[in-house]
Amino acid sequence: MKFNSIHRKIWSEIIERDSNYSPALYYLSTTDSDREQSLRYAHSAFVADSTNKWYTANYAEKLVSSGHYTRAIPIFRRLMRIDPTNIRSYHALAVIYGYSGMPYSAISVLDSAELRIGYNYYLAEIKQELLLSTRQYERAIEEGQRRIAEHPYDADVVTKLADVYAVAGRDSLARATYDRAFKLDTTNV
């Protein structure tokens, strides 16, 4: 018998005796290959102890991996209250809102992350895209300038700002910024 299967058997026996033993439910949810069964275990662990950030995060991730995006939203919101410095929660919730056609809610989540955790380069990239999609050009330009300040030699970041300038109708700034990006990486097509 393999090591993992021994553990699974032990945890399964514990669940048979106490169906609310959250550590066993959590372990089984992380090892079960059946996506729906894994989700049920994660849900049970979460219900048994909804204040535990690992159980909450695991349940939220299982909901997303099972395609239950709208059910995941309140769980990620709860996770943001339980663990307000976990950047993954803000990222996941912003992505869910963005893909669900709620870009303003996604921007709000990213603004909240910045207030609680501080500036994050990677969240700023998502925020810049969302600001551009909602035609908030001034804010998208500000995000682009902040990202360049953080990584001044990243040609992709400079190119993205040039794209924003172009969409905003600032042609001369767009041209100058594209030139700057080209000078940073002359081999990039």
Side-chain angles (χ1 to χ4, degrees):
M1 206 182 256
K2 289 166 65 176
F3 186 69
N4 271 347
S5 61
I6 293 171
H7 278 110
R8 283 192 51 74
K9 184 178 180 200
I10 292 169
W11 287 114
S12 296
E13 288 174 5
I14 292 170
I15 293 300
E16 288 174 16
R17 292 187 181 132
D18 181 2
S19 62
N20 290 321
Y21 188 64
S22 49
L25 293 164
Y26 173 78
Y27 177 81
L28 291 171
S29 76
T30 61
T31 60
D32 202 301
S33 59
D34 178 344
R35 184 178 288 171
E36 288 304 313
Q37 181 60 41
S38 178
L39 176 60
R40 283 190 289 276
Y41 284 136
H43 178 259
S44 296
F46 168 72
V47 169
D49 186 358
S50 62
T51 61
N52 184 299
K53 65 182 176 184
W54 292 286
Y55 301 163
T56 306
N58 182 49
Y59 180 46
E61 289 170 13
K62 298 295 180 195
L63 284 168
V64 169
S65 68
S66 297
H68 302 288
Y69 305 115
T70 53
R71 284 179 50 199
I73 290 173
I75 306 304
F76 276 113
R77 288 195 143 316
R78 173 187 283 277
L79 189 57
M80 286 168 37
R81 285 190 302 275
I82 295 170
D83 189 10
T85 60
N86 184 344
I87 203 158
R88 290 179 64 192
S89 301
Y90 296 98
H91 174 261
L93 190 55
V95 169
I96 291 170
Y97 278 141
Y99 283 126
S100 299
M102 298 183 279
Y104 293 101
S105 295
I107 292 168
S108 176
V109 166
L110 296 172
D111 285 340
S112 178
E114 189 172 336
L115 285 173
R116 291 181 179 177
I117 303 170
Y119 176 78
N120 180 281
Y121 177 76
Y122 298 102
L123 291 182
E125 179 179 11
I126 298 167
K127 187 175 174 181
Q128 186 181 23
E129 285 291 329
L130 289 163
L131 290 167
L132 187 60
S133 74
T134 57
R135 299 180 182 185
Q136 297 180 52
Y137 301 129
E138 290 304 315
R139 287 188 66 196
I141 289 168
E142 288 173 17
E143 283 301 322
Q145 291 168 340
R146 287 176 74 186
R147 292 184 69 227
I148 287 174
E150 185 87 13
H151 292 274
Y153 301 106
D154 187 339
D156 292 333
V157 173
V158 177
T159 302
K160 183 63 190 171
L161 179 59
D163 292 344
V164 174
Y165 281 137
V167 171
R170 297 184 177 178
D171 297 335
S172 60
L173 284 172
R175 227 173 285 115
T177 309
Y178 282 128
D179 287 342
R180 178 178 171 193
F182 178 72
K183 288 175 187 172
L184 288 172
D185 186 2
T186 59
T187 61
N188 190 332
V189 205

